[in-house]
């Protein structure tokens, strides 16, 4: 038996054969070319074929994972039409008199290095994309096939890591789990695993070798461990563990349709946090009472330019209609800090967590803010939409927001465009400043939602992105809990309701304490809705 430990990105136990994702093996050689026009034409034909393939992948992804997740294939198509990219390839072919394969591979390496060297996290992420699209063109030029052979039986997919174009081609009904050598908790593989609710372990390193292809394996997504050819005792233990997990999920399924009510009769709203439209299925499947946080910045992160009013309206309308009258709280764009978008043209900051982000961008660039607000007020006609503003630190900011909203309403009214006049407004409580003036803020808004991730970061003066500080980052710190209690008291004193949409809302150890504080709502990942309902029903 071989035991390899990595990092869990989704819990559960899967047992099956390992199937390694095999990429095409091709050797790119530099060869001299005489007919340069013909070679450039050969590249252009391969590029056009790649664009056509990517359009097919976009159409498939649209059905499988929704528009927001399919957007990556539109971005890849645009990359293949990028003038700088094309000019580099043509220049290498013509000046060095070489074959198209060599020119594409060289350009891909150069661009990937260039992107990786940038300070901007978004641009660093483009390095993998340029390699991915270039590999596709190279496969066409070399005449090789890529990907998995037909999956004849359910199996555990193993790989170094998987690109979006690779995961979308998988037969999802036959994927038992994922095991990858590399990747991060935010990699496409990890996101897909969470969306599909299947066990996944990343960061297993090169110990996860292709020589194990076809071997029986167990992925323990709870501990981040994979067992290859497990012995009898381990197999028995893992089979029992898997059955217990399945039994637990079956019990939770029985909670569907039931209320989130404590033993003493107190009702708590349990909503779901989502990042894009493709997560709606998980919200409905897990019987969430509504959406407590829709992260609208994903519309900006997945676009190559500012999303238009119509693009945003279409997405917000779809979410509102799909939730059929249930509450949908949409947070206005929270760009900045760890979420960078190149077309915003944001300067590099020494301390971006304390910098130009979220509502600070919206209030200083009202043209961006107004576009989003117009789309939101128009979409509110089609469902129960509430609007929430992030990173608030003062009453003045809320008053400025209301002034801009008044302007937006007047514009829509004068243009004869239907919109909902009375939309519930709320703010994120994620700074100590907002807690300290929460009584005054509660007079201005309908609700608070506590962003515990940032509130913990700012209260403890600890960068939550810094892995070296993990041992000091304590969301259970008495100061953090005191902040939440204070915000709750302020909200209720002024007739507003209060919830939590940060990670702490799913911490079942604190559920009883949150109920004691008087919190009205907890918003968690869709997979945590039923476990949280179960915990609430156990509370006094």
């Amino acid at each position: 038996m071989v035991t390899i430990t990595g990092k869990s990105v989704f819990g559960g136990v899967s047992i099956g054969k390992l199937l390694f994702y095999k990429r095409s093996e091709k050797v790119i050689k530099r060869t001299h070319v005489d007919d340069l026009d013909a070679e450039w034409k050969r590249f252009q034909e391969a590029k056009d074929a790649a664009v056509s393939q990517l359009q097919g992948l976009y159409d498939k992804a649209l059905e499988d994972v929704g528009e927001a997740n399919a957007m990556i294939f539109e971005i890849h198509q645009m990359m293949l039409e990028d003038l700088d990219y094309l000019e580099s390839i043509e220049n290498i072919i013509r000046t060095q008199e070489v074959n198209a394969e060599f020119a594409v591979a060289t350009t891909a390496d150069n661009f990937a290095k260039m992107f990786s060297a940038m300070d901007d996290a978004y641009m660093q992420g483009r390095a993998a994309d340029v390699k991915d699209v270039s590999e596709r063109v190279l496969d066409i030029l070399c005449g090789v096939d890529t990907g998995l052979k037909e999956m004849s039986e359910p199996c555990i997919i193993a790989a170094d890591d998987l690109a979006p174009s690779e995961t979308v081609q998988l037969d999802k009904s036959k994927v038992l789990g994922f095991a990858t050598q590399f990747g991060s908790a935010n990699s496409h593989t990890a996101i897909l695993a969470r969306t599909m609710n299947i066990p996944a372990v990343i960061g297993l390193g090169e110990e996860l070798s292709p020589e194990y292809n076809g071997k029986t394996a167990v992925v323990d997504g709870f501990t981040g461990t994979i067992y290859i050819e497990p012995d009898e005792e381990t197999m028995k233990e893992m089979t029992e563990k898997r059955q217990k997990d399945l039994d637990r999920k079956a019990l939770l399924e029985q909670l569907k349709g039931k209320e989130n009510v404590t033993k003493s009769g107190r009702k708590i709203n349990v909503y779901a946090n989502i990042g894009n439209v493709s997560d709606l299925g998980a919200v409905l499947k897990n019987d969430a009472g509504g959406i407590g946080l829709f992260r609208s910045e994903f519309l900006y992160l997945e676009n190559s330019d500012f999303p238009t009013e119509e693009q945003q309206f279409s997405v917000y309308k779809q979410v509102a209609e799909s939730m059929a009258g249930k509450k949908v709280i949409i947070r206005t764009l929270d760009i900045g800090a760890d979420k960078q978008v190149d077309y915003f043209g944001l300067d590099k900051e020494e301390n971006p967590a304390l910098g130009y982000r979220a509502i600070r961008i919206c209030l200083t660039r009202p043209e961006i803010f107004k576009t989003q607000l117009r789309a939101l007020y128009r979409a509110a006609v089609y469902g129960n939409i509430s609007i929430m503003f992030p990173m608030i630190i003062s009453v003045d900011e809320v008053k400025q927001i209301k002034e801009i909203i008044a302007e937006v309403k007047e514009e829509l009214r004068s243009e004869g465009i239907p919109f909902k006049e009375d939309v519930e407004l709320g703010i994120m409580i994620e700074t100590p400043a907002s807690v300290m003036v929460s009584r005054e803020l509660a007079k201005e808004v309908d609700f608070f939602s506590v962003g515990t991730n940032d509130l913990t970061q700012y209260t403890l003066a600890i960068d939550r992105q810094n892995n070296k500080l993990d041992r000091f980052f304590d969301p259970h710190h008495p100061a953090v809990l005191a902040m939440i209690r204070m915000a709750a008291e302020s909200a209720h004193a002024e007739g507003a309701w209060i919830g939590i949409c940060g990670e702490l809302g799913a911490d079942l150890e604190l559920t009883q304490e949150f109920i004691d504080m008087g919190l009205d709502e907890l918003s968690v990942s869709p997979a945590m809705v039923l476990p949280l309902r179960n915990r609430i029903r156990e509370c006094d």
Side-chain angles (χ1 to χ4, degrees):
M1 178 176 76
V2 176
T3 303
I4 312 171
T5 303
K7 182 180 179 182
S8 168
V9 290
F10 196 81
V13 175
S14 63
I15 301 172
K17 286 185 179 177
L18 273 182
L19 183 61
F20 268 79
Y21 190 95
K22 292 182 180 177
R23 293 186 178 84
S24 58
E25 292 185 8
K26 52 187 180 288
V27 178
I28 306 300
K29 293 183 178 178
R30 176 187 178 124
T31 58
H32 177 77
V33 171
D34 290 319
D35 191 340
L36 302 178
D37 288 336
E39 194 64 13
W40 172 238
K41 185 182 178 187
R42 191 168 78 89
F43 161 75
Q44 288 179 308
E45 289 171 350
K47 184 262 292 180
D48 291 342
V51 169
S52 179
Q53 286 181 6
L54 287 164
Q55 182 59 47
L57 289 174
Y58 173 81
D59 294 339
K60 185 176 187 302
L62 203 58
E63 289 183 26
D64 289 352
V65 292
E67 184 176 7
N69 285 327
M71 198 83 72
I72 186 68
F73 302 113
E74 279 195 336
I75 292 170
H76 281 192
Q77 288 178 67
M78 287 188 280
M79 283 184 133
L80 282 176
E81 302 289 3
D82 181 77
L83 286 178
D84 292 330
Y85 179 79
L86 296 175
E87 285 172 3
S88 172
I89 292 169
E90 183 174 14
N91 181 60
I92 291 171
I93 290 173
R94 294 191 184 280
T95 59
Q96 299 183 36
E97 299 182 349
V98 292
N99 53 320
E101 291 89 339
F102 179 80
V104 172
T106 303
T107 296
D109 286 341
N110 291 342
F111 274 55
K113 286 174 185 172
M114 176 179 69
F115 286 135
S116 297
M118 291 182 179
D119 291 330
D120 190 310
Y122 176 82
M123 296 308 291
Q124 288 171 356
R126 301 286 68 77
D129 290 329
V130 77
K131 294 287 276 186
D132 191 15
V133 296
S134 299
E135 283 297 319
R136 180 173 299 280
V137 175
L138 288 171
D139 287 338
I140 295 166
L141 287 168
C142 297
V144 297
D145 293 324
T146 59
L148 289 168
K149 293 180 180 176
E150 189 70 27
M151 295 168 72
S152 57
E153 60 181 318
C155 53
I156 297 165
I157 302 298
D160 53 356
D161 196 11
L162 292 166
S165 59
E166 294 167 337
T167 57
V168 79
Q169 295 176 76
L170 298 173
D171 181 350
K172 310 291 190 301
S173 66
K174 292 179 180 172
V175 179
L176 297 174
F178 288 112
T180 65
Q181 294 174 328
F182 312 110
S184 71
N186 297 313
S187 68
H188 198 76
T189 309
I191 293 167
L192 185 65
R194 289 192 286 266
T195 303
M196 293 172 64
N197 288 357
I198 58 174
V201 179
I202 61 171
L204 291 161
E206 294 184 1
E207 286 183 72
L208 180 66
S209 168
E211 69 184 76
Y212 300 130
N213 188 54
K215 305 281 188 188
T216 298
V218 177
V219 171
D220 185 346
F222 294 112
T223 63
T225 308
I226 181 170
Y227 303 96
I228 298 164
E229 295 193 307
D231 56 35
E232 192 174 332
E233 184 181 345
T234 303
M235 181 62 92
K236 183 173 181 290
E237 180 190 341
M238 289 295 110
T239 302
E240 289 174 356
K241 191 172 185 178
R242 180 178 64 172
Q243 191 56 49
K244 280 183 183 176
D245 184 46
L246 292 173
D247 291 344
R248 182 184 66 85
K249 287 175 180 173
L251 281 171
L252 290 174
E253 285 288 312
Q254 295 174 22
L255 289 172
K256 285 187 176 179
K258 295 188 177 177
E259 288 193 306
N260 313 298
V261 181
T262 66
K263 288 178 180 178
S264 59
R266 172 104 190 278
K267 188 175 187 300
I268 309 294
N269 287 319
V270 176
Y271 296 161
N273 299 333
I274 65 170
N276 48 51
V277 177
S278 65
D279 297 331
L280 281 173
V283 174
L284 298 172
K285 180 183 175 185
N286 288 283
D287 198 31
I291 294 172
L293 170 63
F294 180 92
R295 303 179 182 93
S296 70
E297 59 269 17
F298 282 82
L299 281 164
Y300 298 80
L301 290 165
E302 294 172 349
N303 238 15
S304 58
D305 202 350
F306 295 101
T308 65
E309 180 182 328
E310 290 306 316
Q311 280 179 295
Q312 295 191 59
F313 167 68
S314 175
V315 170
Y316 305 147
K317 176 174 176 279
Q318 184 182 345
V319 175
E321 287 178 332
S322 299
M323 292 306 293
K326 292 180 179 178
K327 190 181 289 294
V328 176
I329 300 174
I330 300 178
R331 180 176 71 188
T332 56
L333 74 96
D334 189 6
I335 294 297
D338 58 328
K339 296 187 283 283
Q340 295 291 323
V341 181
D342 61 327
Y343 60 81
F344 270 71
L346 303 180
D347 295 330
K348 185 178 184 300
E349 296 179 303
E350 288 300 318
N351 196 338
L354 301 181
Y356 187 53
R357 59 174 293 197
I359 202 65
R360 296 164 188 176
I361 293 175
C362 291
L363 292 178
T364 53
R365 297 175 72 174
E367 71 284 355
I368 298 172
F369 195 28
K370 277 188 170 183
T371 299
Q372 182 169 34
L373 288 171
R374 283 173 62 97
L376 285 166
Y377 270 88
R378 288 173 58 198
V381 172
Y382 299 88
N384 187 9
I385 285 179
S386 300
I387 304 175
M388 179 164 69
F389 306 100
M391 282 297 292
I392 296 297
I393 62 169
S394 72
V395 172
D396 281 347
E397 287 173 337
V398 178
K399 289 182 175 177
Q400 286 179 58
I401 290 167
K402 287 182 172 180
E403 287 173 8
I404 294 172
I405 288 173
E407 290 174 18
V408 164
K409 286 182 177 180
E410 186 52 43
E411 286 174 8
L412 291 171
R413 202 175 287 116
S414 65
E415 292 167 26
I417 298 173
F419 69 95
K420 186 175 180 181
E421 186 74 45
D422 186 22
V423 175
E424 188 181 46
L425 301 178
I427 61 167
M428 296 277 290
I429 297 291
E430 49 194 337
T431 65
S434 64
V435 174
M436 300 312 291
V437 296
S438 55
R439 184 71 184 262
E440 295 306 308
L441 287 167
K443 295 174 183 177
E444 298 290 333
V445 296
D446 301 300
F447 69 94
F448 290 164
S449 188
V450 184
T452 54
N453 304 357
D454 269 333
L455 183 60
T456 304
Q457 169 174 249
Y458 297 131
T459 302
L460 303 183
I462 289 176
D463 180 0
R464 63 189 176 96
Q465 304 292 327
N466 189 337
N467 294 333
K468 292 178 183 176
L469 299 176
D470 281 353
R471 58 177 287 207
F472 301 105
F473 190 82
D474 178 17
H476 289 214
H477 194 289
V480 176
L481 299 179
M483 291 266 185
I484 298 171
R485 184 181 294 275
M486 183 177 174
E489 290 170 354
S490 295
H492 291 150
E494 299 297 336
W497 64 265
I498 182 170
I500 289 179
C501 64
E503 294 291 324
L504 217 54
D507 190 329
L508 303 184
E509 291 179 25
L510 290 174
T511 306
Q512 179 71 62
E513 189 161 353
F514 290 149
I515 290 170
D516 294 343
M517 288 180 187
L519 287 163
D520 304 292
E521 174 255 8
L522 297 170
S523 190
V524 296
S525 67
M528 281 302 297
V529 167
L530 293 176
L532 179 57
R533 176 173 298 166
N534 188 52
R535 180 71 188 98
I536 289 170
R537 292 171 69 89
E538 293 172 347
C539 290
D540 291 325

